[in-house]
Amino acid sequence: MASIRTSTNVSNEVYQVSFNPNDNAQFCVVGNGVFKTYKYNEGTLKANPIQKIEPQNFLCHTWLSEDRIVVGTDTGRMLLFEGQEYKKDFNVAGPTTAESTTRERVNTAAGQSDTSENKIQLPVLALTKYSKGFLCSAGNGVVYMYERTDERELYKKAREIRVPVSSDSAQSTANMKGGLHEIMHMTISPSEE
C-alpha cells in the first residue's frame, strides 16, 4: 500500500478517516487543523487540492455523493464542499425551517437581530448521509435532519429529533455532558425505516 503525513504538526490529531463510497481509491481525513482528501493510484497517495480555508478543529465528515462532502467543526459549523470547492457554511445552532419564520417575526417585532452572537455553539460530533440529505449530531441530545433543496441553500434544517435520556441513571450519567447526551456516532439502516 502507501502512507502519507496528513499534517506537518505532529500534535494535530486525526479524528476520522473514510473512503468515498463511490470510489474506494479516494478517502477523506479530518482532525484538529486537518481536512484533506487523497487519491490512491499505482502505489502512491496524492493529496487532492482543496480550496484554502481557515484552519479549524474538524471533528467529523460524511460523503454526500461522489464529489460532495460535508465537514463538521467544534464551533457548530458544517462546511459543504463539492469537488474541492467550498460551497456553503451551515450553523447547527440555526433554527429549523419551521422555527426560522416564527423566530424572524418575533425578533423583528422585538427589535432584535438574530446574529451569531445570540446562538449557542455546539460541536458537530457526528454526520451521516441519508437519502434526502444528511443527519447531524451536535452533542446536545438532538439529531438534526438537513434535507436537500433545489434552492441556493442546497440543504435546509428540516427537523430535530430528541434522543430521550435512559431511565438507567448510572449509564446515562456516564454518557452525558451538561445533562444531555453526546451522540458521537450515527448509522442509518439501509431501508431508512
Side-chain angles (χ1 to χ4, degrees):
M1 240 15 220
S3 66
I4 195 163
R5 184 176 291 241
T6 59
S7 174
T8 56
N9 186 346
V10 293
S11 67
N12 287 0
E13 294 182 79
V14 169
Y15 303 125
Q16 184 182 11
V17 177
S18 74
F19 285 86
N20 183 332
N22 300 301
D23 179 0
N24 63 2
Q26 184 180 24
F27 63 96
C28 179
V29 178
V30 296
N32 190 359
V34 178
F35 169 50
K36 296 183 178 181
T37 60
Y38 296 93
K39 184 83 170 178
Y40 177 77
N41 189 13
E42 297 181 13
T44 61
L45 288 171
K46 181 180 176 188
N48 296 325
I50 295 177
Q51 183 177 344
K52 187 90 170 151
I53 57 171
E54 65 184 68
Q56 298 176 59
N57 192 6
F58 300 105
L59 301 178
C60 58
H61 69 277
T62 193
W63 296 87
L64 299 176
S65 68
E66 185 173 346
D67 67 341
R68 190 176 277 186
I69 300 173
V70 64
V71 183
T73 71
D74 66 341
T75 61
R77 292 176 57 212
M78 293 175 289
L79 303 127
L80 178 67
F81 289 84
E82 193 167 320
Q84 282 72 39
E85 185 180 337
Y86 167 80
K87 288 290 188 186
K88 178 93 174 132
D89 192 323
F90 304 92
N91 187 332
V92 76
T96 60
T97 306
E99 292 171 333
S100 179
T101 309
T102 305
R103 190 172 295 161
E104 285 170 12
R105 278 192 218 125
V106 170
N107 286 346
T108 304
Q112 298 174 351
S113 63
D114 192 18
T115 64
S116 59
E117 295 169 338
N118 296 335
K119 295 179 182 175
I120 299 167
Q121 287 188 348
L122 301 169
V124 177
L125 298 173
L127 291 162
T128 193
K129 172 188 170 182
Y130 79 108
S131 61
K132 294 181 182 179
F134 64 93
L135 303 175
C136 163
S137 159
N140 61 354
V142 179
V143 173
Y144 300 95
M145 295 179 78
Y146 285 80
E147 292 185 352
R148 206 172 21 251
T149 68
D150 293 331
E151 299 168 19
R152 204 180 85 204
E153 291 88 18
L154 301 173
Y155 294 88
K156 282 189 175 182
K157 190 188 295 185
R159 189 171 165 200
E160 293 182 4
I161 302 167
R162 300 212 174 264
V163 178
V165 176
S166 170
S167 60
D168 180 6
S169 61
Q171 182 65 26
S172 296
T173 305
N175 295 326
M176 291 171 29
K177 189 176 193 178
L180 299 169
H181 287 290
E182 278 196 333
I183 301 167
M184 303 298 290
H185 303 281
M186 297 183 295
T187 58
I188 291 186
S189 73
S191 65
E192 294 189 7
E193 292 181 8

